[in-house]
């Protein structure tokens, strides 16, 4: 028996669950509220989740669970300590979204550089040459060639982002406590975090959220950055102190920022972020092109297949 607790995140109708149903008796729920989790898991031995929490309480109530699949890279929705204590393997999907997320970094960055939708909107309104609020001398278009991109966390997504940046003619400065093995064959320059903050025109965050990285972008680190720096965050919201970010955006210290992730998701109506200048926010969608969701499901199915084969 296989239960998917929140299939909506993965599949808005364009991906088939057939591969998973070949491995067992499959039930897919679109969304599951916290008070429905135990009942819906019922007697299932295999449980898949994306955002629905699998707590110790759930594991105690459903002792027949043999495998937990997380339909994502981040697996903080599962109490892994409790799962370990019960001897239940937890399997995430670490690689599926490298291209999607790094491509999305440039969707966000190029939007800041060119404001395509704003200019297109003006043309559709019949105003080819409207230059009141956003024309290129009030909101200058920005060329990336020759600019420095600071990549914080040169792992899978950071490295791919750095490679794309080089194709735009950018210089890459990277900070990572664990340099990639082949870095000498790249043009990436490893620098200290202080030097990265000091010398980058654009900073893109690709570091995981740990207690040590929580709030790493704050008043103090922002003060080390160039005036007008652009910040892109597709990693995890709590890496940034949102109050300090907004203050720096509104003062012009930070030129613009784009966030695919925020501290509390979904964002609150009264979030301080909603009062910021030159800020773009999208609802955690960097991972979600059809191709990468299909890849995610394939890998998740393969993980279960391998588990069932022992
Ligand atoms: P990864 O594990 O391949 O890379 C993370 C890198 O960060 C590693 O090289 C590691 O050495 C480095 N690192 C660890 N501590 C650091 C520190 N203190 N400072 C700087 N670097 C540090 O992970 P990845 O696949 O590249 O994913 C990166 C992040 O992207 C993850 O946090 C993940 O949750 C996020 N993500 C977001 C989306 C989305 O839809 N927005 C999708 C997938 C992944």
């Amino acid at each position: 028996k296989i239960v998917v607790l929140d299939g909506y995140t993965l599949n808005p109708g364009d991906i088939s669950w057939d591969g998973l149903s070949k491995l067992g008796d499959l039930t897919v729920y679109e969304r599951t509220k916290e008070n429905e989790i135990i009942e819906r898991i019922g007697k299932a031995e295999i449980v898949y989740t994306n955002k629905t929490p699998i707590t110790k309480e759930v594991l105690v109530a459903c002792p027949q669970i043999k495998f937990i699949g997380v339909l994502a890279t981040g697996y903080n929705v599962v109490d892994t300590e409790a799962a370990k204590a019960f001897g239940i393997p937890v399997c995430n999907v670490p690689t599926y979204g490298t291209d999607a997320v790094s491509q999305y970094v440039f969707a966000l960055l190029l939007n800041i550089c060119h404001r395509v939708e704003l200019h297109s909107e003006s043309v559709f309104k019949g105003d080819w040459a409207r230059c009141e609020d956003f024309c290129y001398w009030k909101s200058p278009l920005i060329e990336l060639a020759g600019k420095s991109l600071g990549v914080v966390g040169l792992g899978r997504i950071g490295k791919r982002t750095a490679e794309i940046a080089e194709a735009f003619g950018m210089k890459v400065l990277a900070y990572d406590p664990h340099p990639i093995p082949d870095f000498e064959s790249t043009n990436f320059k490893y620098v200290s975090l202080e030097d990265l903050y000091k010398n980058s025109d654009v900073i893109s965050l690709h570091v995981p959220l740990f207690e040590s990285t929580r709030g790493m972008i704050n008043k103090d680190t922002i003060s080390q950055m160039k005036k007008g720096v652009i910040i892109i965050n597709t990693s995890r919201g709590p890496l940034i102190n949102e109050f300090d970010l907004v203050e720096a955006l509104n003062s012009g210290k930070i030129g613009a920022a784009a966030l695919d992730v925020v501290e509390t998701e979904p964002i609150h109506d009264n979030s301080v972020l909603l009062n910021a200048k030159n800020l773009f926010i999208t609802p955690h969608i960097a991972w979600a092109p059809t191709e990468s969701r299909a890849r995610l499901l394939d890998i998740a199915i393969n993980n279960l297949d391998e588990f069932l084969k022992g």
Side-chain angles (χ1 to χ4, degrees), residues 137-254:
W137 56 84
K138 279 197 175 169
S139 171
L141 306 185
I142 300 166
E143 199 171 74
L144 292 177
K147 302 269 185 328
S148 294
L149 172 72
V151 177
V152 184
L154 198 72
R156 295 180 189 91
I157 297 170
K159 180 168 180 264
R160 188 78 194 103
T161 299
E163 289 164 354
I164 298 171
E166 288 198 316
F168 276 102
M170 300 183 84
K171 287 174 278 183
V172 175
L173 305 176
Y175 172 75
D176 194 308
H178 311 288
I180 50 175
D182 59 343
F183 85 89
E184 274 152 2
S185 64
T186 73
N187 294 320
F188 313 146
K189 195 169 165 204
Y190 278 94
V191 295
S192 67
L193 206 43
E194 292 71 28
D195 282 347
L196 184 149
Y197 290 147
K198 204 167 116 193
N199 296 311
S200 299
D201 300 298
V202 180
I203 295 176
S204 192
L205 303 180
H206 301 290
V207 54
L209 176 64
F210 302 127
E211 275 321 300
S212 60
T213 56
R214 185 179 288 275
M216 67 186 294
I217 304 299
N218 56 44
K219 213 183 193 81
D220 177 44
T221 52
I222 290 169
S223 73
Q224 301 169 38
M225 296 175 192
K226 284 190 183 185
K227 185 169 179 346
V229 62
I230 294 171
I231 295 187
I232 310 287
N233 188 10
T234 55
S235 192
R236 283 293 179 262
L239 296 174
I240 297 182
N241 179 314
E242 296 181 342
F243 285 92
D244 294 350
L245 176 78
V246 170
E247 202 175 279
L249 280 162
N250 289 346
S251 75
K253 168 73 183 181
I254 294 178

Side-chain angles (χ1 to χ4, degrees), residues 121-137:
E121 203 177 285
S122 152
V123 173
F124 274 83
K125 282 183 186 155
D127 201 348
W128 183 266
R130 178 167 166 248
C131 278
E132 287 157 16
D133 304 325
F134 61 84
C135 74
Y136 50 78
W137 56 84

